[in-house]
Every structure is written in structure tokens, then in C-alpha cells.
Amino acid sequence: MEPKVIAKTDITQWLKSLADRFEIIAPVREDGVTLFRHVEDFADIDLATTPATGTLREHFTPKTETLLEYEFSDSGAEVRSVDPGAKEMLIFGARACDAAALRYVDAVYSMVEPRDEPYFIRRENTAIVGVFCNEPAWSCFCTEVGDFLSSPIEMDLYLTDIGDKFFTEVFTVKGEELVSHPQFQQATEEDGQAADTVRQKALSRLPSHVDHASACLSYDWEHPLWKKLAQKCLGCGVCAFSCPTCHCFDIQECPKVLRGSRYRCWDTCQFEQFTLMGAGHNPRSSKKERTRQRVFHKFKYSMERYNMLGCVGCGRCVALCPVNMDIRQVIRELESKKG
Amino acid sequence: MEKALRQKARELLESGSVRLVIGYEQGSVPFKCTPLFAETPEEAERLIWNPTCVNNLAVYLPQVISQGKVAIVVKPCDVKSVVELIKEHKVNREDVVTIVVPCPGVLNLDGLNGLDLRDVKSVQWGGEGIIVECSSGAVELARERSFLSKCLSCTIGKAPLADIEIGESPIRNPLTDKHTCVAEYEKLSPAERRMFWARQFAKCVRCYACRQACPGCYCNECFVDKKGQMWLLRATDPASNWFFHTSRMMHIAGRCVGCGECERACPMGIPLTLLGTKLDKEVEEMFGGRAGESPDAPPILGCFEPTDPDPCPE
Amino acid sequence: MDKNPYVPQLAVVEKIITETWDTKTFRAVFKDEKFRESFTYEPGQFQEVSVFGVGEATFCLTSSPTRKGYVEFSVKRVGTVTCALHDLDEGETVGIRAPLGNHFPYEQFKGKDLWFIGGGIGMAPMRSLLNFCLDNRKDYGKISIIYGARTSGDLCFTYEFDEWRNSQNTELFLTIDRPEDGWEYNVGMVPSYLMDLKPSPENAVAITCGPPIMIKYALQNLKELGFEDEQIWTTLEMKMKCGIGKCGRCNIGHLYVCTDGPVFSYAQLKELPPEY
């Protein structure tokens, strides 16, 4: 489909007309952080913070999700599945990195049968309206690991702010449905050029592509930097819980005597108990092993297993790490010539 | 200042009197620092001291102290954490050398809002607060905007435990009282306070950054991780999040020195220092002492006097 | 959502055998008749067993799929779930998600001499393959089992020893770490007993499982005896939660022990980071 435009002042009207069918999720700023939340007042939407502090993860695999409920009975026990709602979601204001990360998580959750059904039920019921990053943050480096900023994936629409309107690219059938509303007009050549100008300006402020995909395959297991990183790493979960590709979870029980539930919640390889076994053996008992695991997993293991990098360069970990562990620096050092 | 700091650190390492100097070095960008663990005089050359040095490095002491004597670069406020660790026998007094640096106040990153952070070249003290060198020129930021709020109420003259002092502590001219931020909060009714925290804790993802960044949280097995007794769920349901934060704060009460690392580390912007400061105020009002002021004072909540207030209703 | 992969099947504990002071073997029968009839698995696969209200944990399927109608798992009492399992009575209900993981490539083992080298509860995953092979006896060559434990009281499956010994062309070599009154068999650690017995790598396959330190030395010794990397097989244990390659916990390098394992050849292990 040919690109469209929509006036910024028409966005609210457009979203309102979609609100019957979709639950609208958009970035909202509150108390200094921007999180993707269910919005009803579209004036609250924050498209300035790049990227949002939070990721889309909450809406596909919530930080806590009940999987099943059980009840003890005369016949022993009964168990029933707890299903995610069937309401369609529309995510408005996702960044290219947020959407690209979904392709990675899709691969993780479906590579081996059975696929992660709760995740895919939500995923298949969600439309994604992405927005181009006119002002990338100092921590952004998506262009270093991929070209999805210019050629986005996993989006239905891609909006580029060209002043008083959004230049709108349509990628899917769902996207065509979304723009079949009176607020959208055909884009002119000028609109296209304005979008190009905006794009070029943003790209000029971002790093160039580096072939991490090849380089990561020979990362050094015994590199001296692991010890150094382990010394300063606090061992918290900020990097993992702010990462759009992180997908690890814990499964725990919530007992209430005669009945209860089983839930899953976000977990991270950065926690000491992640690989701790019942009898006490822990293959990653020190921070050195856990820090190394994170970097190897995001890069080398992801390439080996999914033929995709596990990092989309959103820079959240870079911006949020309390001790300035900068993954860009780490991989640069791992990839620099030795000796 | 940096030269003197590096020289002192070099001397300590060269003489072998310490095996490690924990300090700050240039981060991956000019407006951030990162912790440095210098084991050789050459590594000590990377030490810096500028407004970006926000971290409370005392958090690292428990994990490194077992391997020998350690020197640590500390702001006067961070020294209070070292005092508490010594009080609690987590660190032996003779195993740590405090290198106290003169601190007018450190950088609040939000103060740089409006600047293009990619253009920042350096952040130094100067003028009314901080001078940020950008590629387009220098920008002066008053301290109200550019310092952390704890710095605006700082009254520390001489640090309680200074083995080495690099330069002299600046004259203090606090803009606010330490407990000012609590005043607004105290106007809220209990129901309003409950709603306030419910909204804040709903954001909590249980990353435990607050716990990991806190020098007072050094338990080998935290109460949240105990498997035998499930005190709370790992889930982020309101009850579990509430339980985690309030319990952690109660464990910290009387030991919290107000360094603010918990709030700085939190990726969700939860105002944890409000809780810590409120508890600090309660402890001071009830028991007269404050954490981190004297290594000879007993732990405030670790002992009792028969004359201690007993606010339980008759 | 019928396809929620995290919801277990219900099973009734039909029999509990006390193996040692800290190990019990449970025999469970699926409640749903249709599921029970159609349930099938391969030797080497595992299951996630849950005690409702406590949690879920990973156990190998120690029974052989040739013996139908039930599944068995052996539990060493070390943590919350295992302790809760030990507290169960016969007739109680558990949840089971099975079968999970890969399995021993027994097709490749056909016609070969098999050496089972097990220590303590490490015998449990191999027992599935062992009984499978014994039930398909003519498909395999000579079967030798080296099974050891710290003390005679730590040996599991003692009630099957005679069945193993009496099987055609099958030998059982028992060993314990230190001498005991009344013990008629070998005394010594499993890896050194292995060296004493000197298995020939000619047309042979070695399968080993036990405490990490035993596996380490057994692998070393097998190499010294001339076994090729592809002739040596083991089954690994890692902390698991989902068991289906989603939660990211059990990886060694780019492989997940729950889906690419738990059965691995030494050739595969050598390519992986030394992290298990």
C-alpha cells in the first residue's frame, strides 16, 4: 500500500475510533518514567521519550502471570488453566527496537514445541503502530546491530513525525485496516521527502553498523574483562528487566491451603539463585560467570541458536545500569584485536 | 584534586599497605563515572573526582574486604556507610583506609534535561554549581537544578572517619533541611499514603536494584530468597511488592545513611529515599541517634535503653 | 486455551519404594484414561512433577516405556519440592508434564556392547534405558553395568539387581567406596573400578551418569581406555523450570538441557562451554 499521512491533531480521533475494538497501549510519562500503559486519555501519550523507560514485554509476558489454578478435592486435586484475555491490543508508539525485539522473542518461545501459548495468544491479537525516533537518545545504538530503524519489522504501521503530521508507512493487511479511517490521506511527494530528511538527520546521530553477528562467534571465554566487570556489577536485574529481548522467567506456587495457583514471573540469569540446584550445586556461582553468561547469551548463543542477535541496541541497559556497565564498550573490547 | 588523589592511591598501592583501591573512573560517556578497582599503581592513574562521581562505593566493601586491606575513595556522606559497616562488624576498622574527597555536591542527571547529552564533553564544578562543557559551549547549571537533592541539604563538615583527606571540605550552605522532602508527605492521611505507595509499588519489577545498590543490604541470603520459608511471593502482586519494600526498609531503619543509591538505581522511578528519610526522621525523634555518625556509637536499633519511648497504646 | 503447556496432567501415586535413607522411587498412574492409554515416551526423557501448593521439579523418567501403564521417578530429598514429595502417601495426586527432552539414541546402540556406568541416584535415568534394552534383549550385545555408591545403603534399585544379573549376556558389577562387613563385591570408586574392568571400546557404547565428580573421572578414564567421543553418552542435570526451552534457565552455551538434552554425547559436550 502507498504511504499515508495523518495530522497530529487527528491522532486522538483516530485512536478513539479504534478504542471499541482494541485496548490501546501507549507510552505514558509519570513520575519521571515512561511506561507502556493502557490509555484512555490520548492526550497523555508521551512520544518524546526515546525509547520509553519500559518495554513491551509487560503486555506479552506480564511481570506476573497466573498459569493455572488448582484445588484439593475428595478425588485428590483439580487443576485448570488460566487463559489470557482475548481482547485485541493496539500498541501505539512502539519504537523500531521494541518491535524488532519481538521477532527474537517469537523465535525463543516457538523454536521448540510446544510453543508458549499464552504469549502467542496475546501476540497474535496485537497490532503494532511504531513511531520513528526523530531524536535518538545518547544510549541508542540500534543501527549498530541492525537496520530496523529504517526498515522496521514486526509492525503494522510506522509513523514518522514530519512536523504537523505523521508520515505513515503501511506494512500489513492489519495496517491497511487501521488506515482505512477518514483521518488518513494519501502522502504527497513532499511528505515523503520530509520523512527522508527527518530519517537522515536521526541516522546521522547514530553509530554505523558493526558486524557483531560474525564477531561474537569468537568471543573469548577467558577474557580478563570478565573479572573486571564482575567486580563492579551489583548483581541486580535492571539490565534484564529493562531489556526488550529478555524472556527468562521463574515458575512459582501461590498456595492458599486448600487451593492455590501457579504463576510465572520475570527472572534473570543475573540473580545468584537462577541456576542454583536443590542440592546446592550452582554452575554460575559467582558474578563473573553470570556477567559472562549475559553477554554470551545476548550475542554468541543467540546467533548460534536463532541466527539472530539477541540485542536490538535500544540502550536501556546502558542508560539504566547504576554502575555504568555499557554493553557497547564490553563488546567493543571483546572484539578488539588481541595483543 | 585528581592529581593528589591519584598520587595518594599510587603511594598506598606501591607501599603495599593496601592491595586494592576502590574509586571512580571515567564512565563510557563524559557525564557518567564507573567504579574502578585499582590493584596496581598504573590502574590508580585512572582515578577521577568530579561531579559525576555519584555512586556510594561502600557497597563493595563486604565482598572485597576478606582478601586484604582496602582503600576506598569516599564522599563525606558515603563515609557514613563505612561507619555503619564497621559498627556491624562487617568490615574491620583496620582493614579499610578511607580516602575522603572534598565534595560540593554531585550530579543529578535530570539536571541535564534539555541538553543534547551526546554533545557533553565534561562535567566539572564551577560557578553556582556545575559547568557542563558541550561542543556548542559551556553551560552553567545552578546547584538547585544540577545537584542531587541530598546534596542541597548536606551539612557534613568533617567526615566521621577520614584516614586520608584530599583537600578541604567546602563550607556548607544547605538550601533545604534533610527532612524537608518528608514534610509534604507527612501532610497526607494514612489512606492517601497507602494510595501513594500502592501506585508506586505497582511499578516495581522486583529487580532488587535497590537492595543490591544499598551498602546496608549485605545479607548472604536475603529474606526474599529464603526457600524454606516463603515470606513473600516472587510475584509482583501488590501484597508481595509492598511486603518487600516495607520489610527491606524496616531492616534498613536506623542504619540508612540517606545515600539515595536505592532510588538512583531504581529503573522505575520509585521514590525510595522518601521512605528511608521518613524512617530516619522517626528514628532520630524516637531514639536520638542517626546512622553513620560515629563509629563508636552503638547501632541505634541494635540496643535499647529502659527509657526508650514506647509508643504502644496503653 | 487447551494448549497451555504449563498445565500438568494429574497422576495418582500408586506405589512408593524407599530406596535409601534419602531417596524414594514413586510409581504414578495418569488419572485421565485416554491420556494414560496413549502416553508414550523414550528412555532418557524426563518429566516435571508438581506437588500442588509447593512447586514443580525435574525428574527423569526412570521407568522403561516397554513397561506400560505407569511412570516412575526417583527423588532424592534435597529441597522444598523433594521434601514435599517424600511426605506424600500412596493415593495422593501429583501433577506431571511429560515426556520432555531428548532421549538416548538407542537405535544407534543396536548390536553394540553397552557399558552402563552409574553412581548413586545417577542410576535413575540410565535405568530407563537399561530396562528398555533388557526388554529388547536381542537388539543389543553384551550389557555390563558398573554401579556404585558411597555405601551399600546408598544403592538404589536393589530389588532389580537379580533381574539384571539373570538377563542373558548381562553382568552387574557393584562397588562401594569403603569396605563394609558383609559386602561381597568390589570396594572402590566407580571410575577406578571402571579402569580395573577395562571395557573394550570395540563396537561398544558407554553411558554414564552420577555426581559431577564421578562423571568427570569416568569420562577421563573412558577416553584413556580408547573410547571415541561419539561412543560416550551422558545425561545432565540442571536447574529447570519450564522444561520446554522457554524460561532460559538451563542453557549450556546455546543448547538447552531441557530440549537439546538431557542426553548428550561427549562429542557434543566438548563443544560447549564448561559450565555444568
Side-chain angles (χ1 to χ4, degrees):
Chain A
M1 190 185 238
E2 290 300 308
K4 307 264 183 216
V5 284
I6 176 171
K8 275 187 184 166
T9 45
D10 284 342
I11 289 281
T12 300
Q13 197 51 44
W14 173 57
L15 289 175
K16 274 205 174 105
S17 65
L18 294 170
D20 289 328
R21 177 180 167 194
F22 294 100
E23 188 181 319
I24 313 275
I25 312 275
V28 176
R29 191 157 187 85
E30 202 183 294
D31 298 331
V33 291
T34 300
L35 302 173
F36 283 95
R37 288 189 195 277
H38 174 51
V39 281
E40 271 152 23
D41 186 347
F42 305 119
D44 290 339
I45 296 176
D46 168 23
L47 292 182
T49 309
T50 310
T53 322
T55 63
L56 297 178
R57 186 177 177 186
E58 174 64 26
H59 300 286
F60 296 109
T61 330
K63 54 191 189 204
T64 298
E65 178 179 11
T66 305
L67 296 170
L68 61 89
E69 284 168 343
Y70 65 87
E71 201 170 322
F72 293 115
S73 62
D74 295 329
S75 60
E78 269 141 46
V79 64
R80 63 189 157 272
S81 167
V82 171
D83 298 352
K87 180 103 204 257
E88 284 187 278
M89 285 195 288
L90 183 133
I91 299 182
F92 177 79
R95 301 285 168 184
C97 53
D98 295 328
L102 291 175
R103 176 168 294 187
Y104 176 80
V105 182
D106 287 352
V108 174
Y109 282 163
S110 66
M111 186 174 130
V112 178
E113 288 286 309
R115 66 176 199 172
D116 192 302
E117 202 57 30
Y119 170 83
F120 281 102
I121 287 179
R122 294 189 180 99
R123 187 83 171 87
E124 286 157 3
N125 273 327
T126 303
I128 299 187
V129 177
V131 63
F132 180 80
C133 309
N134 289 35
E135 313 255 342
W138 64 270
S139 42
C140 290
F141 63 105
C142 66
T143 45
E144 207 178 297
V145 292
D147 64 352
F148 37 82
L149 181 61
S150 321
S151 315
I153 54 176
E154 305 301 332
M155 281 187 203
D156 297 291
L157 299 178
Y158 197 31
L159 269 46
T160 303
D161 182 343
I162 51 171
D164 51 359
K165 346 177 210 179
F166 283 109
F167 181 76
T168 307
E169 286 161 277
V170 186
F171 297 128
T172 62
V173 169
K174 206 180 256 182
E176 286 177 18
E177 278 175 49
L178 292 172
V179 298
S180 66
H181 285 255
Q183 292 88 13
F184 285 91
Q185 282 90 47
Q186 212 58 28
T188 65
E189 214 177 295
E190 283 86 43
D191 293 328
Q193 278 161 8
D196 278 337
T197 309
V198 160
R199 299 270 178 99
Q200 287 314 311
K201 180 160 173 254
L203 287 169
S204 70
R205 317 226 53 208
L206 285 165
S208 345
H209 181 76
V210 176
D211 190 7
H212 293 303
S214 310
C216 70
L217 297 174
S218 37
Y219 282 172
D220 185 0
W221 187 255
E222 301 292 354
H223 200 288
L225 97 96
W226 302 124
K227 179 187 165 211
K228 288 287 170 191
L229 292 178
Q231 279 175 319
K232 69 181 187 184
C233 172
L234 292 177
C236 66
V238 169
C239 52
F241 290 2
S242 60
C243 175
T245 59
C246 271
H247 54 270
C248 294
F249 55 87
D250 192 6
I251 300 179
Q252 291 282 346
E253 213 86 338
C254 176
K256 289 190 203 298
V257 193
L258 293 178
R259 57 184 177 85
S261 61
R262 187 169 297 164
Y263 63 89
R264 63 173 169 181
C265 59
W266 294 0
D267 206 350
T268 166
C269 56
Q270 301 304 287
F271 289 156
E272 190 176 348
Q273 303 79 26
F274 193 65
T275 47
L276 175 65
M277 295 202 247
H281 176 55
N282 189 347
R284 292 185 208 129
S285 53
S286 86
K287 271 194 288 176
K288 172 183 161 187
E289 281 117 32
R290 298 192 286 272
T291 321
R292 177 173 56 195
Q293 154 69 13
R294 178 164 181 78
V295 179
F296 267 66
H297 184 220
K298 288 288 160 203
F299 293 89
K300 181 170 196 271
Y301 302 161
S302 290
M303 279 307 298
E304 288 171 342
R305 190 174 181 82
Y306 308 108
N307 200 28
M308 247 191 277
L309 285 176
C311 174
V312 292
C314 73
R316 288 175 174 95
C317 59
V318 173
L320 293 171
C321 175
V323 298
N324 187 230
M325 290 270 258
D326 193 324
I327 191 76
R328 306 170 298 180
Q329 253 186 348
V330 174
I331 55 181
R332 211 175 301 144
E333 202 171 322
L334 285 170
E335 292 169 17
S336 67
K337 292 188 185 50
K338 296 164 184 90
Chain B
M1 282 305 143
E2 279 179 351
K3 256 178 82 181
L5 171 63
R6 288 171 191 158
Q7 189 181 338
K8 259 289 166 247
R10 263 198 334 266
E11 282 167 15
L12 286 168
L13 287 166
E14 275 162 359
S15 67
S17 54
V18 302
R19 65 154 197 99
L20 175 68
V21 176
I22 309 174
Y24 308 95
E25 67 169 325
Q26 178 63 58
S28 66
V29 283
F31 49 92
K32 279 185 181 253
C33 74
T34 197
L36 169 67
F37 291 76
E39 291 171 62
T40 67
E42 294 72 43
E43 286 176 334
E45 281 301 310
R46 295 178 0 218
L47 284 166
I48 60 165
W49 172 237
N50 64 40
T52 67
C53 300
V54 293
N55 306 47
N56 182 347
L57 299 173
V59 70
Y60 296 111
L61 278 178
Q63 78 195 40
V64 294
I65 208 76
S66 54
Q67 292 143 52
K69 203 160 168 181
V70 166
I72 179 169
V73 177
V74 274
K75 307 189 280 294
C77 49
D78 300 338
V79 178
K80 293 193 282 180
S81 292
V82 182
V83 165
E84 284 301 306
L85 287 171
I86 291 171
K87 251 198 237 180
E88 292 169 12
H89 306 295
K90 198 64 189 169
V91 164
N92 287 329
R93 176 68 189 97
E94 55 274 10
D95 288 339
V96 64
V97 176
T98 54
I99 307 175
V100 181
V101 278
C103 181
V106 288
L107 176 67
N108 174 2
L109 273 177
D110 289 341
L112 300 180
N113 283 349
L115 299 177
D116 188 336
L117 292 174
R118 241 182 304 254
D119 289 337
V120 170
K121 300 272 171 281
S122 78
V123 178
Q124 294 295 343
W125 286 292
E128 291 297 307
I130 282 179
I131 299 195
V132 183
E133 284 288 338
C134 300
S135 43
S136 48
V139 178
E140 192 178 308
L141 299 171
R143 57 185 176 137
E144 292 92 320
R145 173 179 164 182
S146 58
F147 282 3
L148 290 175
S149 60
K150 68 172 181 176
C151 303
L152 299 176
S153 62
C154 177
T155 54
I156 303 176
K158 187 159 169 59
L161 209 69
D163 294 316
I164 298 167
E165 280 175 286
I166 309 286
E168 271 188 33
S169 214
I171 312 281
R172 298 291 172 203
N173 189 9
L175 290 174
T176 57
D177 175 69
K178 173 171 179 158
H179 295 144
T180 301
C181 64
V182 178
E184 279 304 306
Y185 173 74
E186 285 176 334
K187 292 179 186 157
L188 300 175
S189 68
E192 286 169 326
R193 293 184 197 186
R194 188 166 41 241
M195 265 178 55
F196 174 79
W197 289 113
R199 208 181 82 232
Q200 295 297 335
F201 293 152
K203 291 188 288 181
C204 176
V205 287
R206 302 281 285 281
C207 65
Y208 304 113
C210 49
R211 178 189 75 179
Q212 299 299 114
C214 175
C217 273
Y218 53 70
C219 287
N220 287 331
E221 193 184 11
C222 175
F223 73 98
V224 305
D225 296 324
K226 282 205 184 296
K227 285 187 169 178
Q229 260 144 317
M230 193 165 58
W231 292 116
L232 73 171
L233 302 178
R234 292 200 81 208
T236 53
D237 59 288
S240 301
N241 279 3
W242 194 284
F243 189 92
F244 166 63
H245 284 289
T246 49
S247 303
R248 194 185 83 82
M249 276 306 174
M250 286 308 287
H251 293 171
I252 293 294
R255 309 162 55 235
C256 171
V257 301
C259 70
E261 286 288 87
C262 49
E263 189 170 311
R264 188 181 72 83
C266 177
M268 292 289 137
I270 300 171
L272 295 165
T273 52
L274 179 57
L275 268 178
T277 311
K278 170 72 174 144
L279 282 172
D280 179 67
K281 180 164 181 268
E282 299 283 310
V283 167
E284 192 178 9
E285 282 170 1
M286 290 174 87
F287 306 110
R290 297 180 74 180
E293 299 205 318
S294 162
D296 302 317
I300 304 170
L301 294 186
C303 55
F304 74 94
E305 294 292 321
T307 50
D308 278 341
D310 182 4
C312 294
E314 294 291 321
Chain C
M1 175 173 53
D2 338 286
K3 299 188 282 175
N4 186 343
Y6 303 105
V7 176
Q9 283 287 329
L10 295 173
V12 177
V13 174
E14 194 182 69
K15 191 164 160 200
I16 303 176
I17 303 161
T18 302
E19 303 277 5
T20 71
W21 66 281
D22 67 351
T23 306
K24 286 184 183 176
T25 295
F26 294 78
R27 176 176 294 188
V29 174
F30 289 109
K31 272 183 142 171
D32 184 286
E33 196 180 321
K34 223 168 113 200
F35 186 82
R36 188 169 66 233
E37 306 284 287
S38 63
F39 182 71
T40 180
Y41 58 102
E42 306 276 31
Q45 290 191 297
F46 69 95
Q47 55 198 321
E48 287 283 338
V49 179
S50 41
V51 178
F52 293 108
V54 183
E56 222 180 17
T58 308
F59 301 99
C60 65
L61 281 148
T62 185
S63 45
S64 164
T66 48
R67 303 178 190 187
K68 299 201 177 298
Y70 59 83
V71 291
E72 284 176 338
F73 51 97
S74 300
V75 178
K76 191 174 167 114
R77 193 185 59 225
V78 292
T80 33
V81 176
T82 50
C83 280
L85 281 166
H86 272 235
D87 283 343
L88 291 179
D89 290 321
E90 287 171 4
E92 292 202 61
T93 304
V94 293
I96 296 184
R97 293 193 288 129
L100 302 170
N102 71 350
H103 57 87
F104 288 108
Y106 52 84
E107 291 289 338
Q108 285 177 39
F109 297 171
K110 282 185 175 168
K112 302 202 156 100
D113 292 338
L114 304 181
W115 281 84
F116 291 85
I117 304 149
I121 199 178
M123 197 59 212
M126 298 198 298
R127 172 174 171 258
S128 177
L129 178 64
L130 172 60
N131 283 336
F132 178 84
C133 295
L134 294 180
D135 288 348
N136 291 299
R137 194 65 193 86
K138 54 180 170 41
D139 287 341
Y140 303 93
K142 173 156 185 176
I143 293 180
S144 316
I145 309 147
I146 308 175
Y147 181 33
R150 265 206 321 270
T151 71
S152 63
D154 291 305
L155 289 166
C156 303
F157 315 118
T158 52
Y159 43 89
E160 288 189 356
F161 287 173
D162 281 339
E163 190 190 322
W164 296 347
R165 277 189 197 100
N166 296 335
S167 223
Q168 197 188 29
N169 200 14
T170 307
E171 264 194 281
L172 173 64
F173 301 101
L174 295 172
T175 183
I176 51 173
D177 285 3
R178 272 186 260 285
E180 264 173 45
D181 282 338
W183 178 255
E184 338 165 348
Y185 307 103
N186 192 66
V187 173
M189 309 262 193
V190 166
S192 40
Y193 195 22
L194 170 68
M195 286 311 266
D196 294 340
L197 292 169
K198 280 202 183 26
S200 161
E202 175 98 22
N203 195 38
V205 171
I207 305 116
T208 179
C209 185
I213 190 106
M214 188 221 91
I215 296 189
K216 177 178 165 185
Y217 287 115
L219 287 176
Q220 245 177 273
N221 291 354
L222 284 166
K223 289 301 296 171
E224 213 180 294
L225 289 164
F227 278 75
E228 297 292 336
D229 296 342
E230 296 77 19
Q231 288 176 277
I232 308 172
W233 291 82
T234 186
T235 167
L236 293 180
E237 198 189 339
M238 285 286 264
K239 176 86 178 183
M240 291 180 191
K241 281 282 176 172
C242 69
I244 51 173
K246 312 282 184 283
C247 77
R249 191 172 304 261
C250 67
N251 77 299
I252 303 174
H254 68 285
L255 298 184
Y256 283 137
V257 176
C258 67
T259 56
D260 304 298
V263 174
F264 291 102
S265 71
Y266 187 51
Q268 286 174 294
L269 285 184
K270 274 175 69 178
E271 301 297 308
L272 296 176
E275 215 183 35
Y276 44 89

